[in-house]
């Protein structure tokens, strides 16, 4: 995290240095800054990547009398490598065992992620009949990936790396053909017209981090160029490297497209169920493509010890503006991946928290190795990892040169998460206090807008309806943009009526309950300390004085 704090501290110096020393020698790529406010958050996603230590999990075993071929353990590189790796596995199976299991043999594939779907299709292309078994076919892990085609989050031994690079090259060609509309069987768009894959400018801090240099050496990608990226709205400039033929594969488009191809393939039979043991498989040959659960079967205990469940955080964003200046790039047609430093989590796990921005549009993200999982594959103590969503938000804003968000400035991390589900406001109350004319009300309006709040006045003088100027009550012009926000206990008394701390506490407590009942976050706003103290600590019951 020190790296990202340093981004905030040195942003001005960095921009100044770049503008005077290198900007005149390097091409400038101009980008619009995405809108990154709470209202732009669509969904926070936790996903598990099945990483395998030393290599990918590419084993061939005899288990329970079945010939089992496993293809798993891709870490964060499932979509990057699987098209190449699947073809390799199928061809290897045919070369080694084709005589025993010739074309026309019926085989089982377990798992309906990208690996399972591609394996099923490739086997039928080679003449095999397939029974595809999966617990579910929709909303699976493969739909929650970022979409960058680059090898990340793996633990490969040096001797295995050459094979991985070849799979990556083959897979890059696969995705590029889809993007160009020339692929043999995968269309370039889904049924609603979304691109399955697109070629976009892709930025990293250096060539080594990208993992794409083997693709350049294989001459399927052009060499990266050094550039200055300038963010127009903030003036921030960053020296980065750019691959002008990077590829974004849209998981929300390609997964439905692949599933549709499988469903329409007459040589593939789908079975919606859980396979507890390979002995229950209906055929002698089983392709194990079960992702994070690929090592859970009997006979795979040795492999299970090498699996490293790797947690990732993604934040889907929405309502991004459109621009007429087509020469300036946006979040919708470019990608960034800037790695953070390796650190230890509060659980003692190895972690990297990075900035990545992809055209889903999505921002992220994390790679946290070795998280503990429940029996159903969900993350144990999931809540203890949620705070990193706020960190992702702040790191991404800092990368673009944006000031820290209100959530960061005021320490409102919990409200940041709760704001997307008003039912979570129950039992939560925010108090804003300070002297007259110190800016409490403008801040309250802003926070109420962000967090679906209702304002409860805690100024003893603003209770009266004829003291607007004396008490700095917001005028009609100030209130108009926030007319939809409830604003109660304001101007409710005439000059002849009396108020007391006891009366106000009773009224305010009722208004707080009203806010909770209707899904609003109560914001107590005002400078009358006795009122607020009495609301928090309670007040002794005193009878009314006639």
């Amino acid at each position: 995290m020190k790296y990202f704090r340093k981004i905030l501290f040195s942003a001005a110096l960095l921009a100044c240095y770049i503008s005077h020393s290198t900007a005149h020698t390097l091409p400038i790529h101009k980008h619009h800054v995405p809108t990154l406010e709470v209202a732009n958050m669509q969904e926070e996603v936790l996903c598990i990547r099945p990483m395998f230590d030393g290599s990918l999990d590419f084993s061939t075993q005899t288990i329970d009398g079945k010939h089992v071929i496993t293809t798993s353990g891709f870490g964060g590189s499932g979509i990057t490598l699987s098209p190449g790796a699947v073809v390799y596995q199928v061809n290897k199976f045919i070369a080694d065992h084709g005589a025993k299991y010739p074309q026309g043999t019926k085989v089982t594939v377990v798992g309906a992620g990208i690996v399972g779907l591609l394996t099923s299709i490739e086997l039928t292309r080679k003449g095999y009949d397939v029974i595809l078994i999966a617990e579910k076919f929709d909303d699976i892990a493969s739909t929650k990936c970022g979409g960058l085609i680059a090898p990340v989050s793996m633990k490969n031994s040096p001797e295995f790396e050459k094979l991985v690079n070849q799979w990556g090259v083959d897979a890059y060609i696969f995705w590029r053909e889809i993007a160009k509309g020339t692929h043999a069987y995968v269309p370039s768009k889904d049924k609603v017209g979304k691109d399955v894959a697109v070629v976009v400018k892709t930025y990293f801090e250096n060539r080594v981090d990208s993992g794409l240099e083997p693709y350049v050496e294989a001459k399927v990608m052009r060499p990266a160029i050094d550039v200055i990226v300038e963010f127009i709205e903030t003036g921030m400039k960053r020296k980065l490297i750019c691959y002008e033929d990077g590829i974004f594969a849209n998981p929300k488009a390609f997964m439905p497209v692949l599933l549709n191809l499988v469903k329409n393939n007459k040589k593939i039979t789908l079975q919606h169920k859980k396979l507890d043991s390979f002995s229950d498989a209906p055929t002698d040959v089983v392709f194990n493509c079960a992702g994070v659960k690929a090592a859970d079967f009997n006979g795979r205990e040795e492999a299970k010890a090498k699996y490293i469940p790797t947690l990732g955080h993604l934040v889907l964003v929405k309502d991004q503006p459109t621009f007429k200046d087509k020469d300036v790039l946006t979040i919708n047609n470019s990608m960034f991946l800037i790695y953070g430093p390796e650190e230890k989590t509060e659980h003692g796990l190895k972690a990297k928290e990075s900035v990545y921005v992809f055209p889903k549009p999505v921002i992220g993200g994390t790679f946290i190795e070795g998280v503990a999982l429940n029996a159903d594959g969900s993350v144990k103590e999931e809540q203890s990892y949620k705070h990193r969503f706020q960190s992702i938000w702040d790191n991404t804003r800092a990368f673009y040169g944006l000031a820290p968000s209100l959530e960061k400035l005021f320490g409102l991390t919990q409200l940041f998460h709760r704001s997307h589900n008003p039912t979570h406001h129950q039992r939560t109350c925010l108090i804003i206090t300070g002297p007259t004319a110190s800016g409490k009300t403008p801040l309250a309006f802003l926070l109420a807008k962000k967090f679906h709040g209702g304002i409860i006045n805690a100024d003893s003088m603003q209770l009266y309806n004829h003291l607007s100027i004396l008490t700095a009550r917001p005028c009609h012009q100030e209130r108009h943009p926030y007319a939809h926000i409830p604003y109660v206990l304001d101007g409710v008394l005439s000059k002849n009526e009396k108020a007391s701390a006891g009366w106000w506490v009773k009224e305010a407590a009722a208004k707080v309950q009203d806010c909770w009942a209707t899904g609003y976050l109560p914001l107590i706003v005002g400078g009358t300390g006795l009122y607020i103290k009495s609301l928090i600590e309670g007040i002794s019951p005193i009878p009314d004085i006639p």
Side-chain angles (χ1 to χ4, degrees), residues 147-168:
L148 168 70
I149 301 302
V152 296
S153 184
M154 292 187 295
K155 283 184 173 294
N156 296 324
S157 59
E159 58 271 20
F160 198 71
E161 195 68 25
K162 184 176 180 180
L163 188 56
V164 168
N165 288 338
Q166 184 57 55
W167 294 338

Side-chain angles (χ1 to χ4, degrees), residues 192-260:
V192 296
K194 290 182 181 178
D195 290 317
V196 173
V198 289
V199 176
V200 296
K201 288 184 170 66
T202 305
Y203 300 86
F204 301 85
E205 278 196 310
N206 58 67
R207 290 164 176 80
V208 174
D209 281 354
S210 75
L212 295 174
E213 285 302 290
Y215 305 6
V216 174
E217 294 172 9
K219 301 189 184 303
V220 297
M221 289 186 72
R222 299 194 300 273
I225 58 173
D226 295 280
V227 300
I228 300 298
V229 173
E230 179 182 352
F231 299 118
I232 291 178
E233 287 78 7
T234 62
M236 172 65 76
K237 295 180 180 179
R238 296 195 177 279
K239 183 178 181 297
L240 301 173
I241 61 109
C242 174
Y243 293 91
E244 296 186 290
D245 50 356
I247 292 180
F248 168 69
N250 185 355
K252 290 197 171 183
F254 71 70
M255 285 301 294
V257 163
L258 292 179
L259 182 57
N260 190 57

Side-chain angles (χ1 to χ4, degrees), residues 21 29 59 77 80 115 137 143 164 187 209 251 323 369 402 422 496 510 519 523 528:
S21 62
H29 289 192
S59 61
S77 299
T80 296
V115 179
F137 291 88
T143 64
V164 168
D209 281 354
F323 300 94
E369 298 180 15
L402 294 167
N496 298 320
L523 284 84
T528 303

Side-chain angles (χ1 to χ4, degrees), residues 344-363:
K344 290 286 186 181
T345 70
E346 56 270 37
H347 307 83
L349 305 177
K350 187 185 296 185
K352 275 190 177 182
E353 192 168 295
S354 306
V355 169
Y356 51 83
V357 184
F358 306 148
K360 243 178 174 178
V362 61
I363 64 172

Side-chain angles (χ1 to χ4, degrees), residues 85-311:
V86 163
V87 171
Y88 172 89
Q89 279 286 69
V90 171
N91 287 341
K92 188 174 187 302
F93 163 72
I94 294 171
D96 294 345
H97 306 284
K100 184 176 181 180
Y101 304 107
Q103 290 183 349
T105 301
K106 187 168 288 189
V107 300
T108 299
V109 175
V110 182
I114 185 172
V115 179
L117 297 181
L118 287 174
T119 298
S120 298
I121 293 170
E122 187 63 22
L123 282 165
T124 63
R125 287 168 55 81
K126 296 297 174 65
Y128 291 86
D129 293 327
V130 173
I131 298 173
L132 175 57
I133 299 176
E135 289 186 64
K136 56 182 181 177
F137 291 88
D138 299 302
D139 191 34
I140 54 182
S142 295
T143 64
K144 299 176 181 179
C145 60
L148 168 70
I149 301 302
V152 296
S153 184
M154 292 187 295
K155 283 184 173 294
N156 296 324
S157 59
E159 58 271 20
F160 198 71
E161 195 68 25
K162 184 176 180 180
L163 188 56
V164 168
N165 288 338
Q166 184 57 55
W167 294 338
V169 168
D170 294 341
Y172 177 87
I173 295 170
F174 172 92
W175 292 113
R176 185 178 63 188
E177 288 177 349
I178 294 173
K180 291 183 176 181
T182 61
H183 193 269
Y185 63 88
V186 181
S188 60
K189 295 182 183 296
D190 68 6
K191 63 181 180 181
V192 296
K194 290 182 181 178
D195 290 317
V196 173
V198 289
V199 176
V200 296
K201 288 184 170 66
T202 305
Y203 300 86
F204 301 85
E205 278 196 310
N206 58 67
R207 290 164 176 80
V208 174
D209 281 354
S210 75
L212 295 174
E213 285 302 290
Y215 305 6
V216 174
E217 294 172 9
K219 301 189 184 303
V220 297
M221 289 186 72
R222 299 194 300 273
I225 58 173
D226 295 280
V227 300
I228 300 298
V229 173
E230 179 182 352
F231 299 118
I232 291 178
E233 287 78 7
T234 62
M236 172 65 76
K237 295 180 180 179
R238 296 195 177 279
K239 183 178 181 297
L240 301 173
I241 61 109
C242 174
Y243 293 91
E244 296 186 290
D245 50 356
I247 292 180
F248 168 69
N250 185 355
K252 290 197 171 183
F254 71 70
M255 285 301 294
V257 163
L258 292 179
L259 182 57
N260 190 57
L261 289 172
V262 165
K263 288 181 176 179
N264 291 328
N265 191 322
K266 294 181 179 179
K267 294 176 71 66
I268 300 176
T269 302
L270 273 58
Q271 292 188 5
H272 192 165
K273 66 178 184 179
K274 180 181 179 182
L275 192 71
D276 294 315
S277 170
F278 290 129
S279 62
D280 297 330
T283 65
D284 291 337
V285 177
V286 181
F287 281 80
N288 176 18
C289 308
V292 72
K293 296 184 179 181
D296 288 349
F297 295 98
N298 290 336
R300 306 221 65 234
E301 289 75 17
E302 185 177 342
K304 192 177 180 100
K306 291 187 176 183
Y307 263 86
I308 306 172
T310 304
L311 180 64

